[in-house]
Amino acid sequence: MEIILKQDVPNLGFKDDLVTVKDGYATNYLIPKGLAIVAIPSEKKKLAETIRQRKFKEEKVRKEAEKMAEKLQEIEVRIAAKVGTSGKIFGSVNALQIAEAIKDQFGIEIDRKKIMVDGETIKEVGMYSARVNLHKEVRPELKVSRELEAWLRMAMAKEPDDRHLDARDMLAALDALEPPLVRLVDPLLEAPEPRRRWRPALFAVLGLAGALLVAF
């Protein structure tokens, strides 16, 4: 017997599937339980129209997701990291904070549950990428930059007079930047002992460069 499933049935098919089963299975179980109906011509016609409308809606949703993906791929979300006087960075960044930052900075609302961050959280300053699950076929990458709060405040200041760091902010910023710089530079300074002697000098140069960058 040919039937149309009204619900998902394990090992048989999914809702609205057109399947053929033994008469007894259909009349004694599937149909009485409301899991299926007999696939008479009128029901087949209804099914075809239902599938057509569903495909139209799914295509519309997919196209909307693709438009949103284009917007997300063009932006960079900037999130501040609070730093103590010792240079320690407080807290981490999760999907909720990223969603809030997207809304505040670009006016785009994204469900936090759709945002996937590698390792679930961002703990240090630097550039990261997150995956946004807009649709089963549309999953764009989003650039996320975690920046020191004082530097971000300076960069986003509207007035030129506000674009500066005081000495305390500068020292805390340099301390906070040391861990990622160590990971970046250490591979270059490993092995021969003479090369390790350059490490303090290298960080001094990087610190001076950062100070000059802020000064100008």
Side-chain angles (χ1 to χ4, degrees):
M1 178 183 294
E2 196 173 37
I3 60 172
I4 299 171
L5 297 180
K6 304 305 292 181
Q7 298 181 35
D8 295 350
V9 179
N11 302 318
L12 182 59
F14 300 97
K15 181 181 178 181
D16 291 334
D17 279 356
L18 186 65
V19 298
T20 301
V21 299
K22 292 182 178 180
D23 291 358
Y25 184 38
T27 56
N28 296 328
Y29 179 73
L30 295 174
I31 295 175
K33 291 286 186 178
L35 300 174
I37 58 174
V38 179
I40 58 178
S42 60
E43 293 297 341
K44 285 184 178 182
K45 186 176 181 180
K46 290 180 184 178
L47 175 62
E49 180 61 20
T50 297
I51 293 175
R52 187 190 69 79
Q53 292 181 5
R54 182 186 302 154
K55 287 183 177 180
F56 175 79
K57 291 179 181 178
E58 289 178 350
E59 181 66 13
K60 182 179 179 181
V61 170
R62 186 181 63 79
K63 287 183 178 180
E64 290 176 350
E66 289 177 345
K67 289 182 180 179
M68 178 61 71
E70 291 178 0
K71 293 181 180 179
L72 295 177
Q73 289 173 331
E74 293 176 353
I75 66 176
E76 178 183 315
V77 183
R78 307 174 74 175
I79 300 179
K82 292 183 179 295
V83 183
T85 55
S86 65
K88 180 180 179 181
I89 295 177
F90 298 120
S92 59
V93 178
N94 55 31
L96 175 59
Q97 291 168 294
I98 294 175
E100 291 176 344
I102 295 173
K103 182 177 180 180
D104 292 342
Q105 296 173 27
F106 303 99
I108 300 174
E109 292 195 28
I110 299 292
D111 185 347
R112 66 179 179 84
K113 296 179 181 178
K114 295 182 178 181
I115 300 174
M116 307 296 292
V117 180
D118 291 340
E120 296 186 354
T121 58
I122 296 172
K123 297 182 179 180
E124 296 181 349
V125 295
M127 182 66 72
Y128 298 84
S129 64
R131 183 73 64 179
V132 186
N133 298 319
L134 299 175
H135 183 273
K136 62 181 180 181
E137 298 177 4
V138 184
R139 302 174 66 243
E141 281 193 359
L142 173 71
K143 293 187 288 293
V144 180
S145 174
R146 193 181 194 199
E147 305 175 23
L148 300 177
E149 185 178 41
W151 287 24
L152 182 58
R153 183 177 64 246
M154 178 190 69
M156 301 185 75
K158 295 182 179 180
E159 298 298 329
D161 291 343
D162 294 331
R163 295 172 188 163
H164 68 276
L165 293 178
D166 58 30
R168 185 179 61 181
D169 284 338
M170 174 62 73
L171 291 174
L174 292 175
D175 285 339
L177 286 172
E178 183 174 353
L181 286 175
V182 167
R183 287 197 301 276
L184 176 65
V185 173
D186 263 354
L188 303 176
L189 302 180
E190 287 179 353
E193 185 62 28
R195 293 172 65 187
R196 293 192 177 188
R197 296 172 188 166
W198 289 95
R199 176 170 168 169
L202 179 59
F203 279 109
V205 171
L206 289 172
L208 178 60
L212 291 174
L213 178 64
V214 172
F216 292 99

